[in-house]
Amino acid sequence: MNHDTLKTCARCGDFRPIPMITTMNPAGIALFSPCRLNNGIALKNRLVVAPMTHYASHEDGALSDEERRFIGNRAQGFGMFITAATCVSPEGKSFYGEPEAAGEQHLPGLRETARIIQAQGAKAILQLHHGGKSVVMHDGVLPYPAIPAGAQRLAPSADGEAREAAQADIRALIGAFARAAELAIRAGFDGVEIHGANGFLLQQFYSAKSNRRTDEWGGSRERRMRFPLAVVDAVVAVREAMQRPGFIIGYRFSPEEDGADGLTMADSFALIDALTEKPLQYLHVSLASFHGKARRGADANQTRMHLLHSHINGRIPLIGVGNLLDRPAILSAWESGWADFVGLGKAVMLNPDLAELLAQGKDGDIITELDPARADRYGIPERLWQLCLKAPDWLPPLKREERQKN
């Protein structure tokens, strides 16, 4: 591994190899080294289970047996495990079978989720989500997510079935994220990740494409940024009020959007500058490809990961992701020096024992394509399994012969 990568890793804090992993995995020593976050919390390595939507919670957002099975063996060997998007308020559900952290009724399931993850040795991070105007349904496999009778979807500006959030709504939405953070702390989670990516509510407020307001919550870039930053401040305030300085808070963002008014890399740089002023522990970029190049607002000859990591310049650790399916791709991403942590989703879906296979250098045992005939191997919830069989690009690829059949 080159000297530049070592410098990048050292930005996260204490850089010490773990002897057992070092001898098992000589090609990826630094990837399996511990790291101390800026709030003093130590992580055992730089591997992160990225959030995976599973469509498996009960209709009321409570934990199901399918969820227990799905998360029950996928955190082993990872430093952090970030849960599926978990809705902070029922009208914000975007996925059928989405878990919730909206009230006392969800506390037992949240406690169990945290325990399941922590029993496998990983830090348990609850991803806090509100979909705003966005509702996700795929090819008729899933019904629209249910929201309470009489409730209406909210957005920064009126859009389709969503109405523009009034001042009182905005205060309530910020409060919902704070309440969810409090529930996460009481449930025993090690931290939360604020979901500001993938076109959901926080990103809707920041984007001029979806935020057409003229009040203090819209207009200029700084005013559009006000809502996501207010959510961050509210979550941080909960941590302080509950005297939990070791509680991890991260923020996930998407760096670009399509359309003339969509977010550009320049917008993301501005958001990063504001977020690094907050007492956060990490940022997490959402990307389809780790090596994808920028389109607007920065050098289009450079990858987004390189540009983002260079702009952050060691101020805060960055989790990088993007279709990393096998050991060479994962190690290559790490050795690029563009990420302080590597997040893995599809590969974990296919390989519940992925961290062990990586550590032991068992390249040939890592599965990179989903075999429809081996449903028993993966432990994937039924609705998610049916979506996998349709092979959308955001889920693991099917075996080649199955793709040819389709």
Side-chain angles (χ1 to χ4, degrees), residues 27 55 61 84 88 99 105 122 130 189 213 302 352 354 360 366-367:
Y55 309 100
V88 301
Q105 71 274 22
H130 190 291
F189 276 89
R213 303 176 73 100
Q302 299 290 326
L354 181 64
Q360 296 180 356
I366 295 177
I367 297 169

Side-chain angles (χ1 to χ4, degrees), residues 157-176:
S157 301
D159 193 326
E161 296 182 1
R163 67 171 173 84
E164 179 174 299
Q167 294 289 338
D169 297 317
I170 290 174
R171 290 192 295 272
L173 289 166
I174 295 169

Side-chain angles (χ1 to χ4, degrees), residues 11-25:
R11 292 171 185 162
C12 297
D14 209 0
F15 189 96
R16 296 167 297 175
I18 299 174
M20 180 182 71
I21 297 297
T22 298
T23 56
M24 292 167 63
N25 188 30

Side-chain angles (χ1 to χ4, degrees), residues 202-254:
L202 274 67
Q203 184 174 328
Q204 290 165 26
F205 264 92
Y206 188 41
S207 172
K209 184 167 70 171
S210 47
N211 186 344
R212 300 178 295 279
R213 303 176 73 100
T214 57
D215 61 4
E216 67 267 36
W217 302 101
S220 68
R221 177 191 280 167
E222 290 70 25
R223 292 205 300 269
R224 297 197 312 271
M225 197 187 297
R226 186 167 290 166
F227 179 76
L229 294 182
V231 168
V232 171
D233 288 343
V235 171
V236 169
V238 169
R239 177 174 67 184
E240 292 176 352
M242 299 183 74
Q243 300 182 24
R244 287 288 306 275
F247 191 71
I248 298 165
I249 304 175
Y251 189 99
R252 195 175 204 205
F253 67 98
S254 294

Side-chain angles (χ1 to χ4, degrees), residues 258-294:
D258 295 328
D261 293 325
L263 294 173
T264 70
M265 293 296 294
D267 292 317
S268 287
F269 295 155
L271 179 63
I272 286 168
D273 290 339
L275 290 171
T276 54
E277 294 296 318
K278 305 295 183 181
L280 299 175
Q281 279 59 68
Y282 70 83
L283 299 180
H284 183 185
V285 62
S286 179
L287 291 173
S289 170
F290 187 92
H291 297 282
K293 292 186 176 180

